[in-house]
Amino acid sequence: MKIVLLSLLLATFAHAQLYSLDLFEGVGDDGIDLSFSITQSNDVLDLLITNDSTVRSVITQIAFEDLYAILPLLPVLDAWSVNNSVNISGSNNIDFSTTLGLVADPPPTRNGINSGEELLISLGGVDYNSFIQALDSGDLRLAVHAQGIGENEISSSYVNTPEVKPEPSTSMMGAVGIAMIVLRRNRTS
């Protein structure tokens, strides 16, 4: 019974990935916490953009740079408009070119993703593994523009940074090396 329950839990979390959004333009604030997660069930990939900031802030623009057309057309969302020419402030500093974008409807500071809120974008027909691989390699990037940050109501831009993951063979060699050290210590004790 315990093995079956563990298997079900592992299957539930097998297709979930979390990414942070890092400051690239503007002034940072210690209370800003922006991220997005990717999950998949059946043929639908869910992209959940989250504003867990402890200071006032509103995500008002979302842009994707999709070098290999992995994403389909963006769905229609309440209080958001598709705008594929959205220009995230400072994006030319990181060589970011928007291919798909969303802008919060006016007034954006009310309709955007406020502190403590999230936005779910469901995409059909997107392969989870290809999507994650593109995010990790930098072939697909997500950038956001946040406004009304903190007491001074500044604005800043954030982007996901490709993750550097060791190759599976490198990870395996490291695990084998650690196991050998533990075994050697146990023999000498």
Side-chain angles (χ1 to χ4, degrees):
M1 179 67 175
K2 289 181 183 178
I3 293 173
V4 171
L5 185 58
L6 180 61
S7 297
L8 288 172
L9 283 172
L10 289 175
T12 302
F13 294 110
H15 284 293
Q17 189 73 24
L18 179 66
Y19 293 87
S20 62
L21 292 165
D22 303 314
L23 176 73
F24 72 86
E25 174 75 13
V27 179
D29 191 302
D30 291 337
I32 293 294
D33 183 8
L34 307 176
S35 63
F36 64 96
S37 61
I38 311 295
T39 56
Q40 184 175 28
S41 63
N42 300 324
D43 288 336
V44 177
L45 186 136
D46 286 331
L47 170 67
L48 184 67
I49 302 172
T50 305
N51 183 347
D52 278 334
S53 302
T54 57
V55 297
R56 183 186 184 291
S57 60
V58 184
I59 297 173
T60 57
Q61 295 177 334
I62 302 167
F64 296 91
E65 179 184 55
D66 185 2
L67 298 181
Y68 296 105
I70 292 168
L71 287 171
L73 294 176
L74 293 174
V76 175
L77 303 169
D78 286 341
W80 288 83
S81 298
V82 174
N83 180 342
N84 294 338
S85 61
V86 68
N87 182 18
I88 299 289
S89 178
S91 59
N92 48 344
N93 295 339
I94 60 167
D95 197 26
F96 184 98
S97 180
T98 301
T99 51
L100 295 168
L102 292 167
V103 177
D105 290 342
T109 52
R110 185 179 66 193
N111 287 322
I113 309 169
N114 286 277
S115 301
E117 294 180 346
E118 51 195 27
L119 175 69
L120 177 65
I121 303 172
S122 295
L123 304 168
V126 178
D127 180 65
Y128 176 86
N129 292 325
S130 298
F131 194 87
I132 296 300
Q133 190 173 37
L135 281 168
D136 290 346
S137 70
D139 292 339
L140 175 63
R141 294 190 294 172
L142 183 145
V144 300
H145 183 71
Q147 295 179 234
I149 300 172
E151 289 180 22
N152 296 326
E153 296 194 359
I154 60 172
S155 66
S156 296
S157 299
Y158 303 81
V159 68
N160 73 296
T161 329
E163 290 192 18
V164 179
K165 294 182 179 178
E167 294 178 26
S169 59
T170 306
S171 298
M172 182 59 83
M173 286 178 12
V176 168
I178 291 171
M180 290 175 65
I181 290 170
V182 168
L183 285 172
R184 180 171 229 154
R185 281 189 181 171
N186 287 342
R187 286 184 184 165
T188 58
S189 300

